[in-house]
């Protein structure tokens, strides 16, 4: 895990920097990808897989959004967003050339520096694939140095599958096990139907020598962790991404407090061993 | 029969059964093959068998009236289809068909019930395995019902 990279620079982490919308891509009926370029004279915005930015739509508000682009291409900042609230709907209405405010990158990162010599299992559901895409890019970049690489993805319906073309491309790679399942489908869908956890026993990897990265709704992560532990994985080798209401993004305001942690500063990515006593506690 | 016994022994569902128990089960078994699109079980019909999937993928569907056929789950290699042979009134509650060519071993339900009545140890071993499958599928169905990726 890492600390906030922004705090290591001279940029005031509370002041949004202007970024121009370079492109907007429709992903599914309720998700889109926003491609941003800096307007403040910065050439690029380096980040680590798993980190997030605060995106500010002038007059509407600010939201935390995970970075979903490639760490190898920091000259563009990519965010895949689900259009569900006031600010995300305002983001959806932006056009190429419009300006947004951006603070970041913030937060911890996926353990892509710990995967050498190990198998890697990524289990994700819904929009949870977006925060993991930078990690997938990074792992693919160091593919020869890792063992088996498994990507298990669950979506609500076939129409909700994110990055469908890219998944197809990954699927065609002989050294990557990619399985996709949907919760609901009609008779025209010829793929797997069922929750994402059903894919875990079907994947081939060595639980004793695996790093797992999980991102999705909390209940999905709960059952995924349970399944991985049953296979014999260590709690410290399982990483999850927690979600709470983040406002300041630098651990001052307390909105995202999670027991002794602040999700924005100490997370959002945590080793399961670090948060297991908080995980699924109703009051937190 | 020896061949069926070997096939059952290699399937995860029967892992841990004794040689003698596998011999008994193999006596109720036959190998079957379903082409893509072919019906394996049909809702309301007698549940005469259960199927040990060795190759291919099958889909479990229920007919939803005007909503058409709703796919509930897919079952593949290493899994099983059907527990209605075990539970009265021994009628299928869902439909299943092959969405890819399916190779399976069918175990005759009436034959199995008879053997389990005569050998409670075998019956208990099978019941433990079916309970595990039932509990897992119940858990998965509950998660599906939560519609965890929905916005509400």
């Amino acid at each position: 895990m890492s600390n906030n990279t922004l705090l290591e620079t001279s940029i005031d982490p509370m002041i949004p920097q202007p970024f121009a919308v370079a492109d907007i891509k429709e992903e599914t009926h309720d998700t889109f990808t926003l491609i941003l370029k800096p307007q403040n004279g910065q050439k690029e915005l380096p980040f680590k897989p798993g980190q997030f930015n605060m995106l500010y739509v002038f007059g509407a508000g600010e939201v935390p959004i995970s970075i979903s682009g490639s760490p190898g291409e920091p000259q563009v900042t990519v965010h895949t967003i689900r259009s569900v609230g006031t600010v995300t709907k305002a983001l959806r209405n932006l056009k190429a050339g419009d300006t947004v405010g951006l603070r970041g990158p913030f937060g911890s990162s996926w353990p892509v520096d710990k995967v050498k010599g190990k198998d890697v299992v990524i289990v994700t559901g819904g929009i949870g694939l977006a925060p993991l895409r930078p990690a997938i890019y990074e792992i693919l970049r160091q593919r020869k140095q890792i063992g088996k690489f498994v990507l298990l993805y669950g979506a609500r319906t076939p129409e909700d599958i994110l990055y469908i073309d890219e998944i197809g491309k990954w699927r065609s790679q002989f050294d990557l096990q990619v399985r996709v399942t949907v919760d609901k489908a009609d008779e025209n869908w010829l793929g797997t139907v069922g929750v994402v956890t059903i894919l875990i026993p079907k994947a081939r990897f060595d639980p004793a020598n695996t790093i797992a990265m999980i991102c999705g709704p909390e209940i999905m992560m709960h059952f995924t962790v349970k399944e991985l532990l049953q296979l014999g994985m260590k709690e410290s080798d399982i990483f999850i991404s927690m979600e709470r209401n983040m406002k300041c993004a630098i651990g001052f305001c307390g909105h995202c407090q999670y027991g002794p942690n602040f999700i924005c500063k100490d997370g959002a990515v945590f080793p399961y061993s670090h948060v297991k006593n908080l995980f699924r506690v109703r009051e937190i | 029969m020896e061949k069926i016994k070997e096939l059952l022994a290699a399937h995860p569902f029967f892992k841990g059964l004794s040689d003698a128990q596998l011999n008994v089960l193999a006596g109720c078994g036959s190998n079957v093959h379903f082409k893509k699109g072919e019906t394996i079980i049909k809702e309301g019909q007698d549940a005469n068998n259960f199927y040990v999937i060795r190759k291919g993928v099958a889909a479990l569907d229920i007919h939803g009236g005007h909503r058409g056929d709703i796919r509930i789950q897919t079952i593949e290699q290493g899994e099983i289809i059907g527990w209605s042979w075990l539970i009265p009134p021994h009628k299928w509650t869902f439909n299943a068909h092959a969405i890819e060519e399916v190779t399976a071993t069918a175990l005759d339900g009436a034959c199995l019930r008879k053997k389990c009545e005569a050998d409670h140890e075998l019956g208990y071993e099978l019941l433990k395995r079916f309970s595990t499958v039932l509990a897992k599928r119940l858990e998965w169905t509950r998660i599906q019902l939560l519609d965890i990726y929905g916005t509400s």
Side-chain angles (χ1 to χ4, degrees), chain A residues 82 84 125-126 154-156 179 183 185-187 189-198 202 217 219-220 223 226-227 230, chain B residues 36 57 61 67-77 79 97 99-100 136 139-141 143-144 146-151:
Chain A
R82 193 173 190 189
V84 283
R156 192 179 192 217
R179 294 289 307 258
D183 280 1
D186 62 19
E187 64 272 26
W189 168 252
L190 297 178
T192 306
V193 178
V195 292
V196 71
T197 47
I198 67 168
K202 296 168 187 172
I219 189 109
M220 167 254 163
F223 283 104
K226 193 174 127 190
E227 202 75 39
Q230 268 173 15
Chain B
K36 187 177 174 180
V57 183
D61 295 321
R67 292 173 63 192
D69 288 340
I70 301 160
R71 189 150 299 169
I72 301 157
Q73 204 191 338
T74 45
I75 310 283
E76 56 189 80
Q77 183 179 335
E79 297 178 304
H97 69 273
I99 55 173
E100 272 177 23
K136 268 281 172 219
E139 180 183 300
W140 295 338
T141 306
I143 306 172
Q144 270 173 302
L146 289 171
D147 192 20
I148 53 175
Y149 307 123
T151 47

Side-chain angles (χ1 to χ4, degrees), chain A residues 1-79:
Chain A
M1 293 207 299
S2 72
N3 295 318
N4 291 340
T5 45
L6 183 64
L7 298 180
E8 295 156 11
T9 72
S10 57
I11 296 172
D12 185 335
M14 288 308 288
I15 299 177
Q17 300 298 309
F19 272 65
V21 175
D23 198 8
I24 297 182
K25 188 186 166 207
E26 202 80 41
E27 298 287 355
T28 68
H29 67 99
D30 64 352
T31 55
F32 60 97
T33 294
L34 201 58
I35 298 160
L36 304 172
K37 285 187 173 172
Q39 281 182 319
N40 60 349
Q42 264 182 277
K43 284 203 169 59
E44 53 186 36
L45 187 71
F47 70 96
K48 292 176 181 171
Q51 289 195 299
F52 69 95
N53 288 322
M54 297 298 295
L55 297 186
Y56 182 30
V57 183
F58 303 115
E62 196 180 44
V63 280
I65 306 284
S66 295
I67 306 169
S68 50
S70 169
E73 294 173 22
Q75 58 278 21
V76 287
T77 301
V78 180
H79 292 283

Side-chain angles (χ1 to χ4, degrees), chain B residues 4-145:
Chain B
I4 289 175
K5 182 187 154 190
E6 282 168 28
L7 293 170
L8 295 180
H11 197 278
F13 185 78
F14 299 104
K15 194 179 167 190
L17 286 186
S18 70
D19 204 52
Q21 287 168 329
L22 286 168
N23 266 330
V24 174
L25 291 177
C28 297
S30 59
N31 286 328
V32 288
H33 190 80
F34 298 94
K35 289 182 197 144
K36 187 177 174 180
E38 202 175 340
T39 298
I40 301 172
I41 61 175
K42 201 163 167 46
E43 184 184 345
Q45 291 191 346
D46 290 339
N48 292 325
N49 295 311
F50 87 90
Y51 297 91
V52 178
I53 307 296
R54 301 197 333 259
K55 203 175 161 198
V57 183
L60 288 185
D61 295 321
I62 189 159
H63 187 62
H66 68 279
R67 292 173 63 192
D69 288 340
I70 301 160
R71 189 150 299 169
I72 301 157
Q73 204 191 338
T74 45
I75 310 283
E76 56 189 80
Q77 183 179 335
E79 297 178 304
I80 59 144
I81 294 178
W83 52 72
S84 299
W85 68 274
L86 186 62
I87 302 161
H90 311 303
K91 301 276 184 195
W92 294 122
T93 50
F94 298 110
N95 303 305
H97 69 273
I99 55 173
E100 272 177 23
E101 269 194 17
V102 167
T103 305
T105 300
L107 289 152
D108 182 298
C111 170
L112 277 182
R113 287 195 296 268
K114 209 169 138 189
K115 306 257 173 153
C116 292
E117 285 298 341
D119 179 352
H120 287 183
E121 203 170 316
L122 172 69
Y124 181 56
E125 281 300 329
L126 278 184
L127 208 56
K128 278 197 285 186
R129 284 163 174 75
F130 273 99
S131 310
T132 306
V133 173
L134 279 163
K136 268 281 172 219
R137 293 203 186 157
L138 180 62
E139 180 183 300
W140 295 338
T141 306
R142 283 173 172 165
I143 306 172
Q144 270 173 302
L145 285 173

